[in-house]
Every structure is written in structure tokens, then in C-alpha cells.
Amino acid sequence: MNRCVAAIVGFAVAVAICVGAAANDAPFGPWGYDLSARDTSIRPGDDFYGYASGAWMKRTEIPAERSNWGMHAALAERTLVQLRTIMEDAGKADPKTIAGKVGAYYAAFMDEARIEQLGATPLRPSLDAVRAAPSRAALAVLMGKANADFYGSVFNVFVQVDAKDPAHYVVGLSQSGLGMPDRDYYLQPSFAAKKTAYQAYVAKLLTLEGWPEPEKNAAAIVALETKIAEASWTRVQERDVVATYNAMSLAELKAMAPGFDWDGFFKAADLGAPAKIVVVEKTAIPKLAAIFAAADLNTLKAWEAFNVADNASVYLSKAFADASFEFRSHALTGATEQRPRWKRAVHTVAGGDILFGLRSEQYGCLVWATGDLYVAKHFPPAVRAKANAQMENLRAALRARIERLTWMSPATKAKALEKVKTLRIFIGSGHDDRDYSRIVVTHDDLFGDAQRIGEFEWARLAARPGKAVDRDEWAESPQTVNDYEDPVMNVVAFPAAYLQAPFFDAGADPAVNYGAAGLMAHELTHGFDDQGRQFDAQGRITDWWTPDDAKTFNARIKALGAQYDAYQVLPGLHVNGDLTMGENIADLGGLLIAYDAYHKSLGGKPAPVLDGLTGDQRFFLGWAQVWRYKIRDDAARNRIVSDVHAPAGARVVIPVQNIDAWYTAFGVKPGDKQYRAPKDRVKIW
Ligand SMILES: [Zn+2]
């Protein structure tokens, strides 16, 4: 089934979604900062993260149902409660109205008795189709339906904005087929226990759905996926903007990757015979086709049967939902309790990444139907105006920093400034073209509802290749506690649910609010990180840099990458500087831009001192506050291999270590543990 969010702008590197970490579960003090979170026995220059948030770290327990806890999670929990009320109220509306459909979908999810009574029955038509498939070609047809139904596929097909022709949509094709979070889980000895747990999970679902020889098939499925993992590109390879854009015709794809029924696959995906296909992992696709062609047909069928149950588990009886929790939340990320049903219901209806880490977020959701109800109730126009004003201040600060750069030539600078000018800033919520009046949603057919919504979402996307791009479309819903940047659309967006304390608090001390806005400015600079800089003002992949400027930029980011490589998360486990490069560049640039904008906002007057803290001290504490965060070890290991963001502690400390004003603000001197000599501080923007 389609991903509610990601499929809209599915270019391999396109959307830098900035899911993060720490949040505050307590009020934020009289001026926007929770002073009781600090550990003042720690010197800021020795451990700035500990100084800023040490007491909070000591007193905070990660909820049993979560793998992590922080500011994003706390705000997400608050949003869930708001949405629950909205959905319960919507249940009283006429079922034919859009609000009524939101209420009915929620009610269908909450009707546990009905779901238990059905057991595995809803899976039967899909499993019958898998069982009846006489050939690999027939399985390729089922895989083509993966976007609109619960089937899995070894290839991910999607519709995206064409990064070399950003006025039009195009079909994209990438590697897929893995049930664990990353290829490393199959190939690295450190994940061996997870691989064993995965095989047990596969066997469990096959047993629950009555598939023959579950143990034997589970072993064969994991062996098959291990081959797929070996052939798959790494996440670092996937960050290469140029290498991941390989436009070709269907005939060229068929010649490049024989052994898979591409005609049947695209036809089943309702894409006919696409005129142009942008292939992401060019060298992996033929290998996956060969693995598919050589695999035992019965293993492929068992693999598909497992995928159907895995993808649908959230809509099925307790036995399926518990098995999914046991592997995906407990074994993979360390959560010890399943989320209450109402939270899973809200998440299923509202979609997006309100709750991070639940697989259900990828499937049929009434995203914007919910979003409109949420905005009407919880997003006052005054917040939009204030956020807009702040974002324009940040844009001006970015422009000024680029103008002042000494290492960039006037030619490159002119192009960069054009890009700053044309960047569009979305605040709160936007327009959406989904016509929900066309979907049938009933209160007693959860599985069918999810299927119909999934079909509806994919039909909307499948009609797009070759058509003009809707430049106003959002990639995240208003109820998402997150923000994003999209270089192909040249847009940054800040959903309504994100524009709340501690991320944005117009009533807070400006120093704290601008410190937190380092994260908003972070989005502005993504257009100039190692990936974003390869897109021009129109969103097209273009090299607009002089060779010398590119060389200087690359030398500077290499030095930054080395700082992150050296950061230890758990004993022996380090951040991957290459994987997190774009986010790290954005954190450093974003914090500097926010710092400039804060000082400009003072209008030449000195900042007041509050509770003994100077304006600059409060600014850096405001940055640290948004990254208050705890995570379980298994989840941390998962993130290190699969997340393009560095962990929260690194996001606090490494940027400030490169900013001279931090040393002045806290009197950090040589000999302090987190001191970096001026020559070792990286300057990019
Ligand atoms: Zn980011």
C-alpha cells in the first residue's frame, strides 16, 4: 500500500524529513525554558548536553510503549489526545460527510470484537491469489499491486517530481524487499540476534495465516532476503543525487534487468507502459531481478504470503497485532508494552509520522481529511502570522551569510542567492486535492476501509506521470510533529502541530525561541547541503557551482564529517558521518542563521539577563532544549544504520563546538573537554 506521506515526493533523496528527538513533558518555565532540566554540577565546556539537560535525563523514564522519549514524542502525545477528541466527535457526524468518514474509520479500528471475530479471514482473497499464482510472472503482477494493496514487492515503484524536469511527474523505481530496517541487519554479525528474531516472526505470521511448512519457509525467506540485502545499495550510496537518477525507457529497463515481468508489473500498478522510468539503484535492480528469477517459486509465494500479513497486521486480530508488536516494537526497538488501542487507531486514521516507528503509518490513512479538522480546531491564524514573520527573518539571515562568505565566488553566490529568493516557505497547512467524497468508509469493516483508502491514494498518484506538478502540494500533513525540506520543489514546510513549544513559542523569550528556531533554519539550509546544493532554484539537478567552490565546500564538509565519525553513541558504536552529512551541515548552518537573526531582532539593544543567564546563553540553551531525548539501546543501534540524522547529543554538542559565540557565552577555554581550537572549528555558511 502507498505510503501516506513519502510517496508524494518519492525521489530518493528528495525530502529531508527531519524527525528528531527530545521533547519536554513539563511546562517550559516562565520564559520558555525549563531551568529544572539542567544539571549545574556539570560545566558547560565539559559536557554541554549534560549541563543543559542532565537533570531531565536523570528524572525521565522512556514510556514502556515507546523506544524513545523527547520533545517530538511529547508533542506527538499531546497531538494524539487532541486528535482522539476530534475523531470521537466526528463519529457523531453524518457518515456520508468527510468528518463522518474520519469518525467511522476510527470506530472501525476500535471495534475489537468485530476484528477478533474475523481473525485471519480478511486475508483470504489475497492469500488465495498468492496460492493460485502459477508462475513468477503472476507473482510480478501481485507485486505491481503493492502500492494499492497489502502485497509486498522486491521493487518499489512510485510517482515523483522529475528532478531533471521539475515541472512534471515521473515514475520512479527503487530496490525493496527487505522486512528488516536496513541491509546491515542481514549482513552484520552485531545484528545476528535480530535476524533470528525476524525469522521467528516470519514463521509466526505464516502459522497464523495457515501457510504450509512455516518454519522451513521462514528460513528460506530470510535466506532470500539476505541475498537481496547483499545486492542492495547502502544508505550512503543512496544519498548520491547524481548516481540515483537514471532515466530510461521501459525497453531499456527490460534489457538491463531481465528475469522479471516488467510489463505485467507496471500494468498491475496501473501505470501502463511508462514512457520514462527513473531508476534509483541502477546496479542493484538487475541483481534483484536475477535473484527473483533464480528463487524457488514456492519460497517466493511464501515470501509474498508473509508480506501480506506483515503489512496488514495492524488491521487484523490481536494475534497478528501482538506478533507484529513483539518483533517490530519490542525486538527491534526495545519497547515493552504495546500502545493502547486508541493511539493505534488515531495513528491509523491520521497517518503521517505522528507516532514514529509504527509500521502502520505507511498504509491507508485519511491524512488530509483529519488534517482539515485538526487545523480548524488547533491552529490559530495568529500563530501562522508569527511563524511567517520569524521564517522571513531567518531567510534574511541566510541571505546575509551567503553574501558575506569569503570562500564562495561571485558567480556561485549569485546562483545561491537566487535559490534563497525562490525558496517557498509553507506554514501550518496547505491545499490538498484529494476528493474524499469518492471513498466508502464504514464503521464495521476496518480491513476493507484500509484497502479502499489505499487504492484511492495510489489511484491519485498513478494518474500523474507526465502531468504538470502541483507546486502547492504538501508532503506532510498539518497534524505532523515534524518539518521538512524538499529540494525538487524548493520548499520548506512547518506543519501546524509542529509550531508549538518548545519548537516554536512566540510568547517565549526571543533568545530561547530563536535557539529552538535553529531547527527551522536548519530546513532553510538543506537546499545548500551536500545533496541540496546539487539542485538549482527551479528544483532541477544541475551543477551550478564553480569547480573551485565545490572543492572548498567538499573539504569543509569532510572535516565536519570526521567530527561526527568520532562521536560515540554506545561503546564501540559511532555516528556515520557520511550517512548524516546533510543533516549535520543543516544543524550547523541553521544554528548560525538563527543566532544572526536573534541578534538582529535585538535592534542594537543589549539582551536582558534572566535568572542569571545572558541572551546568548539562553539562545544556546534553547537549541539544547529541543534535543532533550532518551532512546533505548536497540533503537539507537537501529537509528545509527538507518537514520540520516545524528543522535540528539551529537546534534546539540557538535554544532556549538564549531560556533565561536558559544565559547564566549559560556567561557569555554582550552582544557575543557568539549573545547575545539579555532583552527579545528568548521565554517561552512
Ligand atoms: Zn533535516
Side-chain angles (χ1 to χ4, degrees):
M1 273 208 172
N2 60 294
R3 290 162 178 80
C4 290
V5 171
I8 302 167
V9 272
F11 182 68
V13 299
V15 180
I17 288 183
C18 298
V19 172
N24 185 352
D25 38 358
F28 294 90
W31 40 269
Y33 181 82
D34 175 14
L35 280 169
S36 77
R38 285 188 307 168
D39 182 345
T40 49
S41 72
I42 297 173
R43 298 171 62 245
D46 283 340
D47 172 9
F48 186 61
Y49 191 41
Y51 162 74
S53 300
W56 182 91
M57 300 287 279
K58 277 196 198 103
R59 75 183 183 223
T60 301
E61 294 252 358
I62 301 170
E65 67 195 53
R66 282 189 168 269
S67 65
N68 65 72
W69 185 252
M71 296 298 123
H72 286 83
L75 197 47
E77 289 291 331
R78 206 184 311 161
T79 307
L80 281 172
V81 173
Q82 292 170 334
L83 289 169
R84 178 192 199 175
T85 305
I86 286 172
M87 289 173 189
E88 286 174 352
D89 288 348
K92 295 165 205 154
D94 176 351
K96 291 203 183 68
T97 62
I98 290 169
K101 290 176 189 188
V102 169
Y105 197 26
Y106 179 81
F109 197 99
M110 292 305 290
D111 188 352
E112 275 186 278
R114 169 87 181 135
I115 294 161
E116 283 311 307
Q117 185 197 346
L118 290 171
T121 319
L123 291 176
R124 204 172 286 155
S126 309
L127 293 178
D128 286 348
V130 176
R131 214 172 275 122
S135 61
R136 286 179 187 76
L139 281 177
V141 166
L142 296 183
M143 289 185 179
K145 295 178 181 174
N147 285 301
D149 209 326
F150 294 112
Y151 298 106
S153 174
V154 294
F155 300 104
N156 180 28
V157 64
F158 47 93
V159 175
Q160 64 183 2
V161 179
D162 189 338
K164 288 200 175 170
D165 173 18
H168 297 98
Y169 293 108
V170 72
V171 173
L173 183 78
S174 67
Q175 67 189 24
S176 189
L178 301 182
M180 286 201 281
D182 187 82
R183 68 195 291 282
D184 278 5
Y185 275 74
Y186 297 84
L187 307 176
Q188 297 298 331
S190 58
F191 287 117
K194 305 303 174 202
K195 197 173 174 181
T196 305
Y198 179 55
Q199 189 169 318
Y201 171 57
V202 175
K204 174 87 183 168
L205 288 197
L206 291 176
T207 304
L208 288 174
E209 63 188 0
W211 199 263
E213 299 186 279
E215 300 293 340
K216 191 178 150 214
N217 275 314
I221 286 167
V222 174
L224 173 70
E225 290 191 13
T226 303
K227 282 186 194 153
I228 294 174
E230 280 163 1
S232 296
W233 281 22
T234 66
R235 286 180 196 265
V236 170
Q237 285 177 292
E238 288 186 314
R239 292 193 69 253
D240 186 327
V241 169
V242 174
T244 50
Y245 187 99
N246 304 286
M248 58 185 74
S249 67
L250 180 55
E252 285 167 327
L253 173 65
K254 283 156 78 174
M256 180 185 87
F260 187 77
D261 182 5
W262 294 107
D263 289 326
F265 176 76
F266 284 113
K267 210 171 152 216
D270 290 327
L271 293 166
K276 178 180 180 183
I277 301 158
V278 175
V279 171
V280 179
E281 302 91 350
K282 192 174 178 183
T283 57
I285 300 300
K287 290 180 191 167
L288 297 191
I291 290 167
F292 176 84
D296 174 66
L297 183 61
N298 283 327
T299 300
L300 287 173
K301 287 163 88 160
W303 181 89
E304 190 59 89
F306 159 70
N307 268 266
V308 168
D310 186 31
N311 291 335
S313 61
V314 71
Y315 310 103
L316 295 170
S317 59
K318 190 167 182 303
F320 285 93
D322 287 355
S324 175
F325 164 79
E326 205 43 50
F327 175 67
R328 299 215 167 274
S329 299
H330 177 60
L332 283 185
T333 70
T336 54
E337 260 175 36
Q338 196 163 20
R339 284 162 214 246
R341 186 150 194 99
W342 74 264
K343 288 188 188 177
R344 286 180 275 151
V346 168
H347 186 249
T348 296
V349 178
D353 32 21
I354 291 171
L355 290 171
F356 308 124
L358 259 196
R359 204 168 160 82
S360 64
E361 78 193 28
Q362 297 183 355
Y363 303 103
C365 321
L366 295 171
V367 178
W368 279 86
T370 309
D372 290 346
L373 299 173
Y374 178 79
V375 166
K377 198 165 172 190
H378 294 290
F379 190 60
V383 176
R384 183 190 296 274
K386 283 176 181 166
N388 231 333
Q390 177 166 295
M391 286 312 300
E392 289 304 332
N393 291 343
L394 294 171
R395 187 207 298 262
L398 169 61
R399 186 186 307 121
R401 285 200 85 86
I402 291 174
E403 281 167 351
R404 287 202 304 270
L405 285 182
T406 51
W407 60 264
M408 189 182 263
S409 69
T412 307
K413 232 179 233 193
K415 299 274 191 191
L417 291 169
E418 186 197 350
K419 197 169 166 178
V420 174
K421 195 173 160 192
T422 55
L423 175 77
R424 290 179 313 147
I425 298 171
F426 290 175
I427 302 282
S429 73
H431 101 113
D432 177 70
D433 69 358
R434 286 170 180 79
D435 177 8
Y436 286 108
S437 69
R438 291 173 39 222
I439 314 186
V440 175
V441 183
T442 66
H443 68 276
D444 61 356
D445 182 16
L446 177 65
F447 193 92
D449 288 342
Q451 244 171 349
R452 285 185 292 273
I453 295 165
E455 275 168 24
F456 165 84
E457 289 283 343
W458 176 246
R460 179 173 161 271
L461 297 175
R464 287 181 163 183
K467 293 200 177 135
V469 166
D470 176 358
R471 303 296 296 179
D472 296 326
E473 182 169 271
W474 282 54
E476 280 180 357
S477 68
Q479 63 271 28
T480 306
V481 183
N482 199 7
D483 49 13
Y484 73 90
E485 183 262 357
D486 180 350
V488 186
M489 298 280 266
N490 196 20
V491 67
V492 291
F494 302 90
Y498 175 85
L499 293 168
Q500 302 184 67
F503 302 104
F504 178 75
D505 183 359
D509 163 46
V512 172
N513 200 33
Y514 271 104
L519 197 47
M520 297 169 88
H522 159 122
E523 302 300 344
L524 293 183
T525 72
H526 264 314
F528 304 92
D529 71 22
D530 61 321
Q531 292 181 315
R533 76 176 189 85
Q534 301 180 67
F535 296 82
D536 67 14
Q538 283 71 46
R540 190 179 287 108
I541 295 177
T542 312
D543 187 1
W544 46 270
W545 292 56
T546 68
D548 278 353
D549 288 334
K551 208 172 138 192
T552 308
F553 178 85
N554 285 328
R556 287 172 188 238
I557 68 169
K558 199 174 166 211
L560 185 67
Q563 293 182 2
Y564 284 86
D565 281 336
Y567 191 94
Q568 187 168 266
V569 184
L570 292 167
L573 184 69
H574 288 252
V575 176
N576 181 340
D578 285 336
L579 178 63
T580 56
M581 183 64 85
E583 298 302 327
N584 300 338
I585 296 168
D587 278 344
L588 176 56
L591 195 54
L592 283 163
I593 288 160
Y595 182 80
D596 288 356
Y598 166 56
H599 274 265
K600 190 150 184 249
S601 78
L602 291 171
K605 296 192 193 106
V609 173
L610 302 177
D611 285 319
L613 293 164
T614 66
D616 276 15
Q617 287 175 332
R618 299 195 305 277
F619 172 84
F620 289 111
L621 287 170
W623 170 250
Q625 178 166 261
V626 300
W627 296 116
R628 269 173 204 155
Y629 189 65
K630 291 185 88 163
I631 184 165
R632 299 182 196 280
D633 288 356
D634 277 334
R637 290 192 183 92
N638 183 341
R639 289 268 179 95
I640 285 295
V641 298
S642 64
D643 190 352
V644 294
H645 302 86
R651 297 188 73 169
V652 171
V653 171
I654 297 179
V656 302
Q657 284 181 302
N658 290 300
I659 297 177
D660 298 342
W662 174 73
Y663 291 83
T664 313
F666 291 97
V668 180
K669 300 260 172 352
D672 292 348
K673 286 180 191 148
Q674 292 184 334
Y675 177 85
R676 268 187 214 282
K679 69 173 176 49
D680 298 327
R681 295 175 200 165
V682 175
K683 310 266 180 243
I684 301 169
W685 301 114

